[in-house]
Amino acid sequence: QVQLVESGGGVVQPGGSLRLSCAASGFTFSSYGMHWVRQAPGKGLEWVAFIRYDGSNKYYADSVKGRFTISRDNSKNTLYLQMNSLRAEDTAVYYCAKDEGQWRGVYYFDYWGQGTLVTVSS
Amino acid sequence: DIQMTQSPSSLSASVGDRVTITCRASQGISNYLAWYQQKPGKVPKLLIYAASTLQSGVPSRFSGSGSGTDFTLTISSLQPEDVATYYCQKYNSAPPLTFGGGTKVEIK
């Protein structure tokens, strides 16, 4: 069965950095695009970033462009999100999510991880 | 960017009621629309994609319809386990991807 397990969340000061990881299992990770989606406390869902199955193409929300970097290591079945210059408004639960499309992005999410909480506060 | 507007933002209905949630896109997106269910304290779950295709394992009381700019999610007979917030999401083109603001469904 598909499993996505995020880690790396925590409390960080404004301007600081954090790296999230998402360990994938139960499917051929190297064949699927992957996303990060976040949810601020009590708020709705916000898409953050996407990476193609081979890492050759990446997209970002305007709110994180230039500050966040999505990457993947297909040899380790792991997705990453490097978050720099963090702001209070980045406080959220961060989910990794699997794209439904094999080899090509279809850009909706058929499996989600449990999420990891990032709190940006002084 | 295309905006997605859901209505209502919340609703309260009785068990057995028919419930309809609307999602409107600011531009036409054909049928590139997905619906997700997020139960309190839980992870979002894919319900419907391509506007009307039920994801495997989703109860048949859920259905979706629409194309272009106007879409609906219908629960034909509301059950207690359907208490959740429902989100629409457009995916008609490469990212950025957009969710609707959510509709919270409660039992009266």
Side-chain angles (χ1 to χ4, degrees):
Chain A
Q1 71 282 18
V2 172
Q3 280 200 316
L4 300 169
V5 180
E6 301 94 337
S7 60
V11 180
V12 60
Q13 291 189 340
S17 298
L18 214 53
R19 188 200 201 199
L20 306 184
S21 299
C22 171
S25 61
F27 67 104
T28 306
F29 180 72
S30 58
S31 300
Y32 290 87
M34 296 292 295
H35 301 261
W36 288 99
V37 178
R38 68 184 181 183
Q39 186 169 34
K43 302 295 184 183
L45 300 170
E46 179 187 16
W47 172 82
V48 173
F50 167 80
I51 185 168
R52 215 170 95 115
Y53 70 95
D54 59 358
S56 62
N57 229 2
K58 304 173 186 180
Y59 297 99
Y60 298 93
D62 286 345
S63 57
V64 307
K65 203 173 292 183
R67 300 187 299 123
F68 289 13
T69 302
I70 189 171
S71 62
R72 65 192 296 159
D73 186 337
N74 286 345
S75 68
K76 296 182 178 179
N77 288 350
T78 303
L79 175 73
Y80 302 100
L81 185 68
Q82 177 67 44
M83 303 186 295
N84 298 331
S85 303
L86 282 161
R87 307 166 179 166
E89 53 265 35
D90 295 320
T91 294
V93 173
Y94 285 74
Y95 298 102
C96 69
K98 174 183 167 291
D99 193 280
E100 197 276 341
Q102 188 174 20
W103 303 121
R104 62 178 184 88
V106 294
Y107 308 127
Y108 63 90
F109 325 103
D110 57 353
Y111 291 93
W112 299 63
Q114 289 300 308
T116 186
L117 176 62
V118 173
T119 303
V120 183
S121 173
S122 53
Chain B
D1 289 352
I2 297 174
Q3 305 303 314
M4 306 300 294
T5 303
Q6 279 184 243
S7 59
S9 57
S10 66
L11 66 89
S12 182
S14 299
V15 172
D17 281 356
R18 183 180 185 88
V19 168
T20 299
I21 298 168
T22 296
C23 180
R24 175 163 289 174
S26 59
Q27 299 174 38
I29 58 170
S30 185
N31 68 333
Y32 293 101
L33 187 93
W35 289 97
Y36 301 88
Q37 174 194 62
Q38 186 177 30
K39 296 183 179 182
K42 300 297 185 182
V43 175
K45 171 189 170 182
L46 176 65
L47 289 180
I48 287 169
Y49 59 95
S52 61
T53 303
L54 221 58
Q55 176 72 344
S56 176
V58 174
S60 59
R61 63 180 179 274
F62 290 93
S63 64
S65 65
S67 183
T69 60
D70 294 315
F71 303 87
T72 58
L73 172 69
T74 299
I75 309 173
S76 61
S77 176
L78 185 68
Q79 300 302 304
E81 59 266 31
D82 300 334
V83 168
T85 300
Y86 294 84
Y87 295 93
C88 63
Q89 179 234 332
K90 68 95 176 172
Y91 59 95
N92 63 306
S93 62
L97 306 174
T98 310
F99 290 92
T103 297
K104 187 174 184 180
V105 174
E106 297 175 322
I107 300 290
K108 194 181 294 182

